[in-house]
Amino acid sequence: MSKRKRSPSTDKKLKDGRGQGIGIDYKPWVTIQDVPSLGRVTRLKGIKIPRQFEFLSDLERNYFYLLEYSDLVIDIREQYPLLPIEETIVIADELGIKHPTNLKTGKPVEMTTDFLITVNKDQQNQHLARTLKYKDDLMDERVLEKFEIERVYWERQDVDWGIVTELEIPKDMAHNIAFVHGYSDLSVIEGFEEVTPYEVDDMSIYFIKKLLAEDQTVKQLVKEFERDFGMVVGCGLSLFKYLVITRAIEIDLLDKLDVNQIQQIKAVRRDFSEKVRAI
């Protein structure tokens, strides 16, 4: 197929760097501004990749939380374009499937995959393409047709592609990560603005030691911490969230976090573990 003349909107996206770059420099092909009619959209600042991420559904956002927390994931690119468009048009023709088009102009539009993920496994980087969809939507024949175009595209790129539904996303785990996600940097949290990194370490060691004793609920412990360190109300819970999201401590996130319960620690990060033992 001969190369098609690009539309003005496609040219603009490419000039703006959409769908290009890696890590912090990546820009999604589709943003929230592009789909103003959608209700459940979210912007989040990443931790391991500190840029703004754009999600077009709760499902995408919840999946992102799992990717963000995983030790294997080193890059996340959302709303990734399947370019050049000529490739998906050829695939659609071969499959006898109508290519997605602009509703106003009737011309083919670029397709996207919800996530292109880079994982490091056995010291080797691997790309995974994942599309998010609620299971009930998989009953729609047109949805499956579009997915078949997507599947073949990634197969020809030699990239593992798959569909993720809400059944594959542990809801409690996603909600737990959401609960602690904004606390990876305590310096921007109220009450910690003047606290030095060394002081945060001392506070963390104190907190972890108390948690390991397993004789107090988190709610009881945060009150005791705030009293002993002269911190304002809320700082104790903020420190607990910081310890969880930075993986200083590991707890079972598959169960809903409850500050009214005693939290059993599965593991303590090595640097803190050594300091706690030294006390």
Side-chain angles (χ1 to χ4, degrees):
M1 176 181 286
S2 60
K3 192 167 183 178
R4 301 170 59 87
K5 183 179 180 181
R6 290 200 299 251
S7 69
S9 64
T10 299
D11 274 336
K12 186 178 186 309
K13 286 182 176 181
L14 291 172
K15 287 178 182 177
D16 289 344
R18 300 273 199 99
Q20 302 165 62
I22 59 174
I24 195 172
D25 296 319
Y26 175 75
K27 295 181 180 180
W29 187 257
V30 179
T31 66
I32 289 173
Q33 288 94 336
D34 298 324
V35 284
S37 61
L38 292 181
R40 305 293 292 190
V41 294
T42 312
R43 285 194 182 98
L44 281 177
K45 178 73 177 295
I47 298 173
K48 63 174 60 179
I49 305 108
R51 65 171 177 83
Q52 181 174 277
F53 285 78
E54 311 238 350
F55 309 113
L56 308 183
S57 70
D58 289 348
L59 196 60
E60 291 182 12
R61 180 203 61 207
N62 289 345
Y63 188 59
F64 168 79
Y65 282 132
L66 304 187
L67 298 176
E68 178 95 302
Y69 195 72
S70 170
D71 285 333
L72 296 177
V73 175
I74 60 175
D75 197 10
I76 306 166
R77 286 174 277 180
E78 78 278 24
Q79 322 306 337
Y80 192 85
L82 279 53
L83 297 176
I85 192 173
E86 287 81 10
E87 291 195 24
T88 54
I89 290 174
V90 166
I91 292 170
D93 287 343
E94 291 174 352
L95 295 172
I97 295 172
K98 185 179 186 299
H99 192 280
T101 58
N102 183 298
L103 294 178
K104 292 182 179 179
T105 66
K107 294 182 178 180
V109 293
E110 292 82 9
M111 298 179 65
T112 59
T113 289
D114 294 325
F115 289 99
L116 182 61
I117 307 152
T118 305
V119 298
N120 186 276
K121 197 172 182 180
D122 300 325
Q123 297 184 329
Q124 288 191 334
N125 289 353
Q126 177 186 0
H127 296 310
L128 306 173
R130 293 292 182 264
T131 288
L132 281 288
K133 211 70 177 174
Y134 290 99
K135 64 179 179 63
D136 289 346
D137 292 334
L138 298 181
M139 303 298 291
D140 188 315
E141 184 177 350
R142 180 56 180 156
V143 168
L144 295 179
E145 286 180 346
K146 292 177 183 178
F147 283 174
E148 184 62 9
I149 299 172
E150 199 174 335
R151 183 192 69 78
V152 174
Y153 174 90
W154 287 115
E155 183 181 71
R156 293 180 181 182
Q157 301 289 326
D158 197 26
V159 171
D160 182 289
W161 175 85
I163 301 170
V164 178
T165 73
E166 69 271 25
L167 300 181
E168 285 78 54
I169 301 176
K171 198 169 184 179
D172 281 340
M173 186 173 187
H175 286 176
N176 288 338
I177 298 172
F179 179 62
V180 301
H181 188 266
Y183 292 82
S184 63
D185 181 4
L186 280 181
S187 68
V188 299
I189 302 300
E190 183 180 0
F192 287 91
E193 298 93 341
E194 305 299 324
V195 178
T196 69
Y198 297 104
E199 290 171 327
V200 170
D201 274 359
D202 287 342
M203 293 175 178
S204 299
I205 293 166
Y206 165 97
F207 210 99
I208 292 171
K209 187 178 180 182
K210 291 285 188 178
L211 283 171
L212 288 170
E214 294 185 358
D215 59 359
Q216 290 179 299
T217 67
V218 173
K219 188 173 182 179
Q220 291 170 329
L221 180 51
V222 300
K223 288 183 178 179
E224 188 174 308
F225 163 80
E226 289 162 359
R227 183 196 66 212
D228 290 351
F229 283 84
M231 303 292 282
V232 299
V233 174
C235 284
L237 186 57
S238 295
L239 181 63
F240 172 70
K241 292 178 180 182
Y242 164 79
L243 295 174
V244 174
I245 195 59
T246 60
R247 307 292 285 271
I249 58 174
E250 288 193 24
I251 58 180
D252 190 356
L253 293 181
L254 288 173
D255 292 330
K256 186 176 181 179
L257 281 176
D258 186 349
V259 297
N260 294 305
Q261 293 184 351
I262 294 173
Q263 290 295 327
Q264 292 192 342
I265 298 179
K266 295 166 63 179
V268 178
R269 204 171 66 207
R270 184 174 178 180
D271 55 338
F272 281 125
S273 180
E274 292 172 351
K275 291 175 183 176
V276 169
R277 286 200 302 268
I279 297 176

